[in-house]
Amino acid sequence: PGAVQAAVDAAVDGDTVLVHAGTYSTCLVANKALVLQADPVGSVVLDKLQITGLDLGKRVFVKGVNLTHVGIVSDLTNAPYLVQGCAGSVRFQDVTVSMPAPNFQAGLVLTNSTDVALSRCVLTGPSSVVAWGGTFATGIPQPGLVLSASRVALDDVVVTGGDGHLAFYVPNWPTPLFYGADAGADACRMDANSILFAHGCTFQGGDDGNGTNAGCDTAGTIFIPIHGTPGANAGNGLNVAAGGSATELACTFTPGVAGAGGAGSWCGGQ
């Protein structure tokens, strides 16, 4: 599992690291110019890839790797797939990024990096889910791509936000519990200090969860709200903070599907 990291550590600037088919754990590239390529393309799964502190004039090229995280990331400051503090150029081609549900981190996070480009990539954020036999909601819907003080160019990239879970009611466990519907995530979210150029891309916001019908617990008393609950808001294709800049050509932006509200109910003569 650590073979990729060992190869990266042994590489010098300008080397190519060919990764044979398999599933590997962490790969940290710190201020090192190299090519990281799956051999063959699409046959490699990396659990974690972070590219940090790349100096101006250096270049990292990642090709044909599937970035699929295993497990839940609750640390919102430590994204598994991260480009951070890079003045040099970072390139991704034929890369798939997927954060499985449930989770708390976005698909790909770019922070303080000024020369990032992606081509023929698929970025998918995690959804929130109802777990434990319908008694617990976990995870937060997250974007497929998040930009913070960064500049990125996208060509033929599909970006999808995570879906929200539906509203639900747990009667008498050990007291009645109610979970409201979760909103879907934006496909791409960028702050006021970020710049995005996109060509031939698809941005799909996450669907929101449906509301739940009102209902009764076993004692025949009605739970609140009596008229059922509305669905949450759907995610946007692209969410640009005031001051940010986004330029697109031949792209598709689709919001998620809004959730339906729940129906009312009548219990115990109330």
Side-chain angles (χ1 to χ4, degrees):
V4 175
Q5 187 62 59
V8 168
D9 290 343
V12 298
D13 283 348
D15 279 355
T16 294
V17 177
L18 287 177
V19 185
H20 296 302
T23 299
Y24 303 87
S25 56
T26 300
C27 179
L28 307 178
V29 182
N31 194 26
K32 186 173 287 189
L34 53 79
V35 175
L36 183 67
Q37 180 172 338
D39 182 26
V41 168
S43 67
V44 170
V45 176
L46 268 180
D47 183 60
K48 185 175 184 178
L49 174 63
Q50 296 181 336
I51 302 168
T52 60
L54 192 66
D55 288 342
L56 185 66
K58 291 187 176 183
R59 181 174 182 264
V60 170
F61 180 38
V62 181
K63 182 174 182 180
V65 176
N66 297 317
L67 305 178
T68 303
H69 186 70
V70 177
I72 297 176
V73 180
S74 56
D75 182 359
L76 299 183
T77 65
N78 187 25
Y81 305 121
L82 174 70
V83 178
Q84 183 176 53
C86 292
S89 62
V90 179
R91 302 290 183 262
F92 295 90
Q93 186 178 84
D94 299 319
V95 169
T96 298
V97 178
S98 176
M99 287 293 290
N103 238 302
F104 298 86
Q105 265 292 357
L108 178 63
V109 178
L110 312 179
T111 65
N112 298 299
S113 297
T114 56
D115 186 7
V116 182
L118 293 83
S119 176
R120 301 196 303 265
C121 295
V122 177
L123 314 176
T124 305
S127 302
S128 60
V129 298
V130 178
W132 294 358
T135 62
F136 185 71
T138 184
I140 299 175
Q142 294 286 355
L145 176 63
V146 172
L147 280 67
S148 175
S150 295
R151 178 180 294 186
V152 64
L154 309 178
D155 181 62
D156 191 19
V157 175
V158 177
V159 189
T160 305
D163 297 333
H165 68 73
L166 52 77
F168 63 100
Y169 174 64
V170 185
N172 307 312
W173 186 78
T175 58
L177 297 175
F178 170 73
Y179 288 87
D182 228 350
D186 302 321
C188 176
R189 186 174 65 226
M190 49 189 294
D191 70 0
N193 300 307
S194 292
I195 299 174
L196 178 144
F197 302 90
H199 170 259
C201 297
T202 299
F203 297 85
Q204 174 66 60
D207 296 340
D208 72 356
N210 292 331
T212 185
N213 296 338
C216 307
D217 59 21
T218 55
T221 57
I222 199 159
F223 74 89
I224 302 299
I226 187 170
H227 297 299
T229 65
N233 294 323
N236 297 302
L238 177 62
N239 188 335
V240 185
S245 173
T247 304
E248 65 86 17
L249 177 64
C251 292
T252 301
F253 301 89
T254 307
V257 177
S265 184
W266 182 89
C267 292
Q270 300 183 38

